[in-house]
Every structure is written in C-alpha cells, then in structure tokens.
Amino acid sequence: MAEGENEVRWDGLCSRDSTTRETALENIRQIILRKTEYLRSVKETPCRPSDGLSNTVSLDGLNKLLAHLLMLSKRCPFKDVREKSEFILKSIQELGIRIPRPLGHGPSRFIPEKEILQVGSEDAQMHALFADSFAALGRLDNITLVMVFHPQYLESFLKTQHYLLQMDGPLPLHYRHYIGIMAAARHQCSYLVNLHVNDFLHVGGDPKWLNGLENAPQKLQNLGELNKVLAHRPWLITKEHIEGLLKAEEHSWSLAELVHAVVLLTHYHSLASFTFGCGISPEIHCDGGHTFRPPSVSNYCICDITNGNHSVDEMQVNSAGNVSVSDSFFEVEALMEKMRQLQECRDEEEASQEEMASRFEIEKRESMFVFSSDDEEVTPARDVSRHFEDTSYGYKDFSRHGMHVPTFRVQDYCWEDHGYSLVNRLYPDVGQLIDEKFHIAYNLTYNTMAMHKDVDTSMLRRAIWNYIHCMFGIRYDDYDYGEINQLLDRSFKVYIKTVVCTPEKVTKRMYDSFWRQFKHSEKVHVNLLLIEARMQAELLYALRAITRYMT
C-alpha cells in the first residue's frame, strides 16, 4: 500500500474551477478509502512480525492525509472544499478510524480566535486575496490569517513573497525554499522550517539535504556564514564576505543569485520575528497543530497544557499581572500628552546637529541595557539546528567588550537612493515590490490609538522604526533621538528588542505587558513595523557591502 501524502495530488484543490476541485476531492476520497480498507483488513487477519513496520508506515501515511484534510476543512477559502473535506473525515470516522482534531485556539497563541477573521466570513475583496494565496501555496497559513488585520499590507506582503518563491528569478525553486529553511532555523523557528521543508520536497528538493547543512551543496554551505552574521550581527558584514561567495571557483554565486539569496535571508529572518512576536500557532496539518486523542470532558487534558492547548478563558488571563483598566487607560492618556508636548517643542526650537548626534549615541548605548528579566539562552532543537552551523552564535550588542562599531549614516547609504536601485538592477521588479512593502508598513495608519480617533500617529511610528535602526547602529541625521525615550516605555522597548534581535525568546507576558489598552490589531501593526524595519536594516548592511565590492 504505497500511496502516501506525496502521492496524493492536492494541486487540483487550488483551482478556481469548481469541477476541477470536485474531481480532485473525489480522487483524494478514493485514495483515503482504499488506505482505510487496507488497514481494516490488516486488523482482521493475523500478521507476521515483519508486517508490523509496514502497517505502522501505512497508518502514519493515512494520518498525514487526514491531518491535511482537517486543515482544508478549516482553512480552505473555497466552501465546497471545506465541506467535502469535513464530509470525508466524518465518513472515515464512521468506519472506526480515529480522525484528528485541531490543537490550540486559532492562528495565534496571543490573540483570541474570536478576534481574528474566520475563513468563510470574509468579504469579496478579502476572499480574492485568500484564493490567490491558497492557489500559490496550497494553504492559507496562520501568518496570513493574523496579517489580515491589515489587508493593504497583506496584499503587498503576499505579492512580494510569491515573487521571491515562485516567479522567474536567478535561483532555482528548491534553493529558494532551502534558503528559507536556513534563515528561519537561525532563530529556531520550527514553524517556518516545517512549512518550507514541505515546500522544498514539493518542488523536487533532495530529501538528503534536510539531514543537515553539511549534506547540501557546497554553494549553499558557503552561504551559512552570511546567514549567521546577517541574522545576528549585520553590522559586521564586509565586502570580504561578498567576495568569498562570488569567487569560490566552481561553487561561486553570481551577483544576481546573491542578491536573490540576501533578499530571501532577510525576508525569513524578519518573518521569524513576526512568527514569534505574534505567537503564531503551528499549522493544523503540521506537528503540534492537531491531535488524534479524543477531547476530555473539560475539552483539554493535562497533556495539552504542555502543548499550549489551554482553555480559551485561561488563555485570556493577562499574564502581565493585575493591571487595572484605569491604569492602562492613563498610560494611553500619558502617551497622547507626550506626543502633544513633543510636537509643541518641535515647533518652538530645533536641536543643533551636535546635540542630535549626542542623543543618538546615548540612545544607542542605552539600547544595549534593554533586556528581558527572563532573558536566558534557548537551546535549539536538533531538527532545527541541523540546518545551520555554529549554534552558539547569536545577537550581541555593538559595544560589548569595548568593541566599537562605526555608526551607519543613512545620509551616506540609504534604501531609497542606493539599495533600491541595486536590487532592481540585479533582480528586476523585486526592488519595487520591497519598496512598496516598506512604504505601506511605515505609512499605514487608521488615525486611532486605543479608544482615541483622529490621531496623527506618525511621530510614534517614526520613533518605533528609528529605535530599531538605532539598535543596529543606523542613524538619521534629521531625527531627534530624545523623542524615543519620551514615547517608548521600558516594557515596550523590551518587547521590540526581543522580537527584532532574539525572537525565539518572546513570551505572551511580553506581548501582554506593552500597550495594555491597545487593540490586538494595533499590536499586529507594531509587528509589521518591527519586521520591515529589521529587514531594511539587514538589507542596508548587506547591500552596502555588495556595493563596496562592486566599486
């Protein structure tokens, strides 16, 4: 009984033609029924010891198919696929086969499921976006369902990601997914690693490469050093790193391939930040997203607690402590007042260039001492760490141990004047897509803050963006860094630094403890700013090194 998940053709379900989807679903139903009948017949006949492994493999293959169907029944944007998938699952259950159920409560561990748009309840415009995403990837992933709070950004994000992974470009498809795995693994992001392992195999990638980076081609192994430095200490990237990749004889990268790789690395480093920053749950069909155990009386058992499968009520307990509504209300009022005062000061006087430079250095130095109280080393699991080398290498602040890193002045090298054109020249259209995504994230506003409307939030958005770049040593000459301490309190700074620099250490308590009166959509908006500012910072260092090599 050789039919496994890889032999089943799921592609037909991505079609916009309902007849094609119906045919594909019927084929899937027939395969699952045959596997089910085979396993039932095995149960009824005495088996030889040598049959045991074969039967276990068959059951495992069936379970993977059923988990995929469960995902489709909950996450497919096409109603007919959702309903038929559920029907197939129920018919299999009636044959005495245990079927899976979802673990957890929705796409995010931090955001109540009832606050996230449910698949099937979206409007026509959003349905078209969901259908496009599903057609491209064969799934509607949890990242998409959390980003849906901000449809304008989501559309730009999906368009960019689709181009990077699936459209014409310098790198072959399997290389693209493998680079995604390498990048996500640097932050121990098993969520993204699992997704791209499946995608890598789907486009014909060699399974041996997944046994460890040392089993991949030397060309990809050589990319490991750049991946490591870019993820954790991008200010250390030099033109020598670039030269080493471009002049490696038969393992050399072309300039166009390298730019494609750099964009993929920065995209997935940043996406790992979003995954941890918003508490993205495992996909329903992946490990940790479903269980074959029947629900207990209280709807979860003690085993589920260790998997984060708490009851909804329990999940909503504010782990930041007993903060009264009035306290968090006053936090919002105080922030609004600080913004008003800063605007008045701006109008009255402007600090000198020397004073502005001094304030940047102070903020850069202070950012080194922002860390979480539960800041401890996270040991990467073997299934993730095998995709990269030097597991001990992580984020380090610039000036530790007296090491000085020169300030990166945006006036000397910036995305708009330098990075954008370099990317567009070597990887056409991608510079335009990334630029659009940066602008949407930076300028996105609904003119609201918590319960307040008609608020100009540009000052706050700029403070968040510039604080992230400040942590990376990047300075804007025309910005007064004194504003950052006025607008970003300590708990918010801890959250920002953790999400951007060591996302694997983000906790629900950190998420809950900043901006306690703000809506979840606003906290997701913050994460969009964080990941785009981080991606731009990494790109600036890498592209500047490429430019220096070229000149």
Side-chain angles (χ1 to χ4, degrees), residues 342-356:
L342 283 170
Q343 188 58 54
E344 286 177 0
C345 291
R346 271 185 186 176
D347 296 340
E348 287 171 13
E349 57 178 309
E350 192 171 310
S352 66
Q353 278 298 315
E354 292 76 14
E355 180 62 23
M356 300 263 262

Side-chain angles (χ1 to χ4, degrees), residues 163-419:
Y163 199 98
L164 291 176
L165 292 176
Q166 294 172 294
M167 300 296 281
D168 287 345
L171 293 173
L173 297 183
H174 62 300
Y175 264 54
R176 303 179 196 193
H177 290 293
Y178 198 81
I179 290 168
I181 292 167
M182 289 172 64
R186 280 293 350 160
H187 286 306
Q188 297 133 60
C189 187
S190 55
Y191 170 87
L192 288 173
V193 168
N194 288 337
L195 283 185
H196 286 281
V197 162
N198 291 335
D199 292 339
F200 171 77
L201 295 172
H202 184 70
V203 297
D206 186 344
K208 293 193 193 74
W209 297 11
L210 300 174
N211 293 330
L213 186 58
E214 67 277 7
N215 296 289
Q218 188 62 46
K219 184 171 176 174
L220 282 168
Q221 290 184 45
N222 292 349
L223 193 66
E225 180 70 15
L226 185 67
N227 179 31
K228 177 178 82 172
V229 180
L230 200 54
H232 305 296
R233 310 175 200 174
W235 50 86
L236 296 180
I237 291 174
T238 63
K239 68 177 183 180
E240 283 71 32
H241 286 106
I242 307 304
E243 186 173 13
L245 290 164
L246 297 175
K247 294 187 174 178
E249 297 177 351
E250 73 268 28
H251 306 300
S252 293
W253 293 74
S254 71
L255 264 174
E257 287 175 333
L258 185 58
V259 166
H260 193 171
V262 162
V263 172
L264 283 167
L265 289 173
T266 59
H267 177 80
Y268 282 104
H269 293 156
S270 301
L271 204 52
S273 284
F274 185 87
T275 300
F276 287 114
C278 291
I280 300 296
S281 303
E283 294 299 325
I284 289 173
H285 62 299
C286 293
D287 288 347
H290 62 274
T291 179
F292 283 85
R293 283 194 313 273
S296 60
V297 177
S298 64
N299 207 32
Y300 70 98
C301 72
I302 196 69
C303 330
D304 293 332
I305 295 174
T306 60
N307 292 327
N309 185 29
H310 308 282
S311 70
V312 177
D313 294 337
E314 185 185 351
M315 289 288 279
Q316 300 326 311
V317 172
N318 186 347
S319 53
N322 298 318
V323 180
S324 71
V325 174
S326 61
D327 283 350
S328 49
F329 173 79
F330 286 125
E331 283 178 359
V332 180
E333 298 303 311
L335 181 55
M336 296 273 291
E337 178 59 22
K338 281 177 183 171
M339 288 168 65
R340 189 184 62 75
Q341 289 173 358
L342 283 170
Q343 188 58 54
E344 286 177 0
C345 291
R346 271 185 186 176
D347 296 340
E348 287 171 13
E349 57 178 309
E350 192 171 310
S352 66
Q353 278 298 315
E354 292 76 14
E355 180 62 23
M356 300 263 262
S358 171
R359 288 174 185 175
F360 169 78
E361 292 300 329
I362 290 168
E363 190 57 55
K364 186 172 78 168
R365 197 162 54 247
E366 285 185 358
S367 76
M368 290 191 298
F369 303 105
V370 172
F371 55 88
S372 138
S373 56
D374 45 3
D375 190 11
E376 55 188 49
E377 291 302 314
V378 179
T379 305
R382 166 63 190 157
D383 64 331
V384 171
S385 66
R386 65 186 171 190
H387 299 298
F388 63 91
E389 297 165 324
D390 195 358
T391 56
S392 63
Y393 191 96
Y395 172 80
K396 291 285 186 294
D397 298 307
F398 316 165
S399 307
R400 294 264 174 97
H401 315 301
M403 229 175 67
H404 176 68
V405 173
T407 292
F408 185 124
R409 294 177 72 251
V410 168
Q411 275 64 21
D412 298 332
Y413 194 97
C414 69
W415 166 257
E416 290 80 4
D417 296 337
H418 307 94

Side-chain angles (χ1 to χ4, degrees), residues 42-223:
V42 164
K43 276 186 180 178
E44 292 164 6
T45 55
C47 67
R48 301 183 305 277
S50 60
D51 294 336
L53 180 60
S54 169
N55 295 341
T56 302
V57 170
S58 294
L59 180 60
D60 186 52
L62 176 62
N63 284 347
K64 284 183 176 176
L65 293 177
L66 296 178
H68 203 111
L69 270 183
L70 177 68
M71 179 273 287
L72 292 171
S73 74
K74 304 288 184 186
R75 295 283 193 263
C76 181
F78 303 118
K79 187 179 179 183
D80 57 332
V81 176
R82 290 198 305 274
E83 291 178 347
K84 187 67 181 281
S85 298
E86 190 172 353
F87 171 78
I88 296 171
L89 285 169
K90 283 182 177 171
S91 63
I92 296 300
Q93 188 177 35
E94 287 166 4
L95 293 173
I97 300 291
R98 185 175 284 182
I99 64 170
R101 62 185 176 86
L103 269 178
H105 293 279
S108 166
R109 292 178 294 109
F110 297 171
I111 305 169
E113 188 171 13
K114 64 180 183 291
E115 295 200 27
I116 294 174
L117 180 67
Q118 301 297 302
V119 177
S121 63
E122 69 273 11
D123 61 23
Q125 186 180 358
M126 189 52 63
H127 177 76
L129 197 56
F130 279 179
D132 285 345
S133 179
F134 190 82
L137 296 169
R139 61 177 182 265
L140 201 55
D141 59 39
N142 289 339
I143 285 176
T144 298
L145 292 173
V146 171
M147 283 185 181
V148 86
F149 279 117
H150 305 286
Q152 185 191 5
Y153 174 85
L154 175 61
E155 186 173 4
S156 175
F157 170 85
L158 290 174
K159 193 163 51 172
T160 305
Q161 184 168 264
H162 176 64
Y163 199 98
L164 291 176
L165 292 176
Q166 294 172 294
M167 300 296 281
D168 287 345
L171 293 173
L173 297 183
H174 62 300
Y175 264 54
R176 303 179 196 193
H177 290 293
Y178 198 81
I179 290 168
I181 292 167
M182 289 172 64
R186 280 293 350 160
H187 286 306
Q188 297 133 60
C189 187
S190 55
Y191 170 87
L192 288 173
V193 168
N194 288 337
L195 283 185
H196 286 281
V197 162
N198 291 335
D199 292 339
F200 171 77
L201 295 172
H202 184 70
V203 297
D206 186 344
K208 293 193 193 74
W209 297 11
L210 300 174
N211 293 330
L213 186 58
E214 67 277 7
N215 296 289
Q218 188 62 46
K219 184 171 176 174
L220 282 168
Q221 290 184 45
N222 292 349
L223 193 66

Side-chain angles (χ1 to χ4, degrees), residues 316-530:
Q316 300 326 311
V317 172
N318 186 347
S319 53
N322 298 318
V323 180
S324 71
V325 174
S326 61
D327 283 350
S328 49
F329 173 79
F330 286 125
E331 283 178 359
V332 180
E333 298 303 311
L335 181 55
M336 296 273 291
E337 178 59 22
K338 281 177 183 171
M339 288 168 65
R340 189 184 62 75
Q341 289 173 358
L342 283 170
Q343 188 58 54
E344 286 177 0
C345 291
R346 271 185 186 176
D347 296 340
E348 287 171 13
E349 57 178 309
E350 192 171 310
S352 66
Q353 278 298 315
E354 292 76 14
E355 180 62 23
M356 300 263 262
S358 171
R359 288 174 185 175
F360 169 78
E361 292 300 329
I362 290 168
E363 190 57 55
K364 186 172 78 168
R365 197 162 54 247
E366 285 185 358
S367 76
M368 290 191 298
F369 303 105
V370 172
F371 55 88
S372 138
S373 56
D374 45 3
D375 190 11
E376 55 188 49
E377 291 302 314
V378 179
T379 305
R382 166 63 190 157
D383 64 331
V384 171
S385 66
R386 65 186 171 190
H387 299 298
F388 63 91
E389 297 165 324
D390 195 358
T391 56
S392 63
Y393 191 96
Y395 172 80
K396 291 285 186 294
D397 298 307
F398 316 165
S399 307
R400 294 264 174 97
H401 315 301
M403 229 175 67
H404 176 68
V405 173
T407 292
F408 185 124
R409 294 177 72 251
V410 168
Q411 275 64 21
D412 298 332
Y413 194 97
C414 69
W415 166 257
E416 290 80 4
D417 296 337
H418 307 94
Y420 168 80
S421 56
L422 178 61
V423 172
N424 244 18
R425 189 163 86 246
L426 293 169
Y427 188 10
D429 299 330
V430 168
Q432 180 69 41
L433 289 167
I434 295 171
D435 188 60
E436 178 186 290
K437 188 160 60 78
F438 285 156
H439 277 285
I440 289 172
Y442 189 88
N443 296 312
L444 187 66
T445 183
Y446 305 95
N447 299 112
T448 61
M449 270 181 62
M451 71 294 290
H452 294 281
K453 294 180 180 176
D454 301 317
V455 182
D456 179 357
T457 61
S458 57
M459 181 185 290
L460 187 54
R461 283 180 278 120
R462 190 177 185 195
I464 293 168
W465 186 280
N466 287 2
Y467 179 61
I468 294 157
H469 279 193
C470 177
M471 290 190 304
F472 285 98
I474 298 169
R475 182 189 163 210
Y476 296 83
D477 285 356
D478 62 347
Y479 183 69
D480 181 355
Y481 286 85
E483 292 187 3
I484 289 175
N485 269 340
Q486 297 290 314
L487 298 173
L488 313 183
D489 64 24
R490 190 184 181 281
S491 64
F492 192 15
K493 283 184 171 182
V494 165
Y495 179 77
I496 291 173
K497 185 172 181 181
T498 309
V499 169
V500 171
C501 300
T502 51
E504 60 277 12
K505 296 180 181 178
V506 173
T507 63
K508 186 171 188 295
R509 183 173 62 186
M510 288 181 199
Y511 176 90
D512 288 338
S513 66
F514 85 91
W515 283 11
R516 287 166 291 196
Q517 196 66 18
F518 284 70
K519 296 189 281 287
H520 288 288
S521 61
E522 292 172 308
K523 293 193 174 193
V524 172
H525 186 179
V526 165
N527 272 274
L528 300 183
L529 279 169
L530 304 192

